[in-house]
Amino acid sequence: MDLFKELGERGHEQVSFFHDSDSGLKGLVAIHNTVLGPALGGCRMWNYENETEALVDVLRLSKGMTYKAAIAGLNLGGGKAVIIGNSKTQKTENLFRSFGRFVEGLGGRYITAEDVGTSIRDMEHVRMETDYVTGISQALGGSGDPSPVTAYGVFVGIKASVKERLNRVDLDGLKVSIQGLGHVGMYLCEYLHKEGVELFVTDIDQALMGQAVDNFGATPVDPDGIYEVEVDVYAPCALGATVNPDTIDKLKCTIIAGAANNQLIENNFGGELKKRNILYAPDYAINAGGLINVSNELEGYNQERAFSQAEGIYETLMEIFHRSDNEGISTNEASDRQAEDRIKKIGELKSFYLPYKKSFKIRNA
Ligand code: NAD
C-alpha cells in the first residue's frame, strides 16, 4: 500500500504504530481529523488476517468517527485504535496498560474508549496510565453503559422520521419492527411501547424475544422474516449491512431508523432506498447518542445533560432530510455534506487569532 497516498485520499492527519514486545502489543491509532477537537474513537481488538487489513480498518473507522462527531454537534474529531490480537486469549493487564502509555504519549490528540473486542475492564487498565480514555464504569465516575442514551436518540430520530414522512407528531398505533433486542434494542422497545407503538421483534436469542413479548406485548418474528413485515418503521439494532441486494426488495417499511452501525452494504444503497421511497435515517446520525454519552464524561458526566443533548438528533435529522429533498440526493449523502460543512465552517472560525482561546479540558488535566 502507498501509505501517504492512501492518507491523502482519505484525508487523514496521522497514523501511529505501537509495538511492545513485553506485553505483546501491536497496535495502531489513526487520527483522521482534529479540526473540531481531539480525535475520539474506540479501541477495537481483532484477530486481523494481516497488518494491511488492520490498517485499512483503522483508517475506515477513524474517518467514520469524524463524521459522527461532526453531525452530532460535538467538539471532537475522529480517531480510532486497533489492537491486533485475539480478544478471547491474548488480553492482559499489561497489554492495555502498555496501550494506555502510548495513548498518553499522543498528548491528548486521541482519546480512546471501549469497542468491539474490548471491555470497560480493559479501559480501566488503560486509565491507570492515561486520562485520555472515556466510557469507563459509573463506579469510577464514568458514564457507564451508553445504551439508554443511544436508544433514546434512536427513539427521537424515529419521531423526526415519522414527522417528515407521515406528518405525525405522535407514534400511537404505528407499527415498528426491531431487529436485535440487545442493549439498545430492548431500551428502544420500552420507549416505543410507552408511546403506544405496536412492536414486531426478532433476535437469535429466544430468551430476549420472550422478554419483549412478556413486557411489551411484542409480536415475535423469525430472524429471516423481519424484512418482510409490513411496518411503518424498520429499526435495525443488531448487525451492519442489513440493507443489501438480498433484502432491499423485501422491505415493506416506509422508514428505516435504527441503531446498528453501517446499515447500508454500500453507500449507493441510500440512493436505492430513495428510489423506493423509503426514508432512511443515516445510521451515524441517529445512533450518535452513544458518542454523545461518552463525550459528556470528558467534562464531568451528567446523564440528564446527555439525554438532553441526544434530543438534538431530532433537529439534525430534519436538516438532513430537508437537504436531501432540496439537493435531490440520498439522505446519507446529505448527512455527509452537513458534517463536512460544519467542519469547514468551524475550521474557518478558528483560523483567526484569539488572545484567549477556550481549550478542550480533559478530566484532571
Ligand atoms: P448487543 O450486542 O447488545 O445486541 C445485539 C443483539 O442483536 C443481540 O441480542 C444479538 O443476539 C442480536 N442479533 C445478532 N444477530 C442477529 C440476527 N441475525 N438477527 C436478529 N438479531 C440478531 O448490541 P447493542 O449494544 O444493543 O448494539 C446494537 C447495534 O447498535 C450494534 O450494531 C452497535 O454497533 C450499534 N450501536 C450501539 C451503541 C450502544 O450504545 N450500545 C451505540 C451506537 C451504535
Side-chain angles (χ1 to χ4, degrees):
M1 181 193 289
D2 184 343
L3 185 53
F4 282 104
K5 184 163 172 270
E6 193 72 27
L7 299 186
E9 280 168 8
R10 294 175 188 257
H12 280 79
E13 294 177 7
Q14 179 178 355
V15 181
S16 303
F17 295 78
F18 301 143
H19 176 251
D20 172 21
S21 24
D22 290 341
S23 67
L25 176 69
K26 283 192 264 176
L28 290 92
V29 170
I31 296 177
H32 178 255
N33 185 295
T34 56
V35 169
L36 297 178
L40 189 146
C43 170
R44 183 166 285 198
M45 183 164 180
W46 197 256
N47 222 350
Y48 291 98
E49 294 270 315
N50 54 54
E51 288 155 15
T52 307
E53 194 184 68
L55 178 61
V56 169
D57 209 28
V58 81
L59 293 178
R60 180 181 67 84
L61 294 167
S62 54
K63 183 168 181 177
M65 291 307 296
T66 295
Y67 283 76
K68 194 174 209 169
I71 205 74
L74 299 171
N75 289 327
L76 290 169
K80 202 87 182 182
V82 300
I83 293 178
I84 302 172
N86 187 327
S87 64
K88 298 221 164 37
T89 58
Q90 288 177 276
K91 280 188 183 180
T92 59
E93 175 181 347
N94 269 20
L95 182 91
F96 285 99
R97 290 186 71 158
S98 177
F99 172 67
R101 293 174 78 82
F102 282 118
V103 169
E104 177 70 13
L106 293 173
R109 279 176 52 71
Y110 168 68
I111 301 167
T112 198
E114 183 191 345
D115 200 82
V116 176
T118 59
S119 65
I120 288 193
R121 178 91 187 108
D122 301 329
M123 290 308 123
E124 286 169 10
H125 286 139
V126 172
R127 188 172 176 267
M128 290 173 186
E129 305 293 339
T130 183
D131 277 339
Y132 302 120
V133 52
T134 184
I136 53 172
S137 69
Q138 283 183 333
L140 286 174
S143 56
D145 177 14
S147 309
V149 178
T150 304
Y152 185 67
V154 173
F155 168 66
V156 164
I158 288 176
K159 283 189 155 181
S161 309
V162 164
K163 173 77 181 94
E164 173 69 13
R165 182 46 54 93
L166 306 173
N167 198 22
R168 283 184 53 165
V169 288
D170 67 306
L171 303 178
D172 193 26
L174 290 184
K175 294 179 177 173
V176 177
S177 61
I178 302 185
Q179 180 182 37
L181 296 167
H183 289 88
V184 179
M186 203 61 96
Y187 282 114
L188 182 61
C189 281
E190 195 178 328
Y191 295 134
L192 293 171
H193 177 67
K194 276 193 197 140
E195 297 276 313
V197 166
E198 190 181 341
L199 294 169
F200 297 81
V201 296
T202 194
D203 201 291
I204 47 174
D205 182 333
Q206 290 299 319
L208 293 173
M209 290 256 260
Q211 226 174 296
V213 171
D214 292 349
N215 296 342
F216 312 115
T219 304
V221 181
D222 248 18
D224 290 340
I226 196 72
Y227 305 102
E228 286 161 290
V229 186
E230 222 162 291
V231 285
D232 299 288
V233 183
Y234 157 52
C237 296
L239 315 161
T242 55
V243 181
N244 61 48
D246 294 335
T247 60
I248 193 157
D249 288 319
K250 291 185 186 164
L251 293 169
K252 294 193 177 61
C253 58
T254 317
I255 293 163
I256 300 180
N261 281 314
N262 307 316
Q263 292 169 27
L264 309 178
I265 191 159
E266 299 280 353
N267 277 345
N268 66 323
F269 273 72
E272 293 299 319
L273 290 173
K274 190 172 169 67
K275 272 192 221 154
R276 288 163 177 77
N277 209 20
I278 295 174
L279 181 69
Y280 171 60
D283 45 17
Y284 71 84
I286 193 172
N287 74 13
L291 180 61
I292 288 171
N293 198 60
V294 292
S295 77
N296 257 275
E297 189 177 316
L298 300 172
E299 303 196 40
Y301 186 62
N302 176 323
Q303 195 177 45
E304 213 176 304
R305 189 175 61 208
F307 272 99
S308 123
Q309 255 184 300
E311 285 192 4
I313 289 174
Y314 187 99
E315 266 319 304
T316 302
L317 284 178
M318 282 304 190
E319 283 164 15
I320 292 170
F321 296 150
H322 295 163
R323 186 159 191 169
S324 155
D325 278 348
N326 292 341
E327 299 181 17
I329 52 175
S330 63
T331 51
N332 49 312
E333 175 66 27
S335 182
D336 287 356
R337 289 188 190 178
Q338 285 289 105
E340 285 160 7
D341 281 0
R342 178 162 181 258
I343 294 168
K344 188 164 179 287
K345 281 185 194 147
I346 304 292
E348 284 161 6
L349 177 77
K350 286 183 175 174
S351 70
F352 59 84
Y353 174 74
L354 279 184
Y356 169 74
K357 185 164 81 58
K358 184 180 181 295
S359 62
F360 196 90
K361 289 194 186 64
I362 299 292
R363 182 171 40 91
N364 301 337

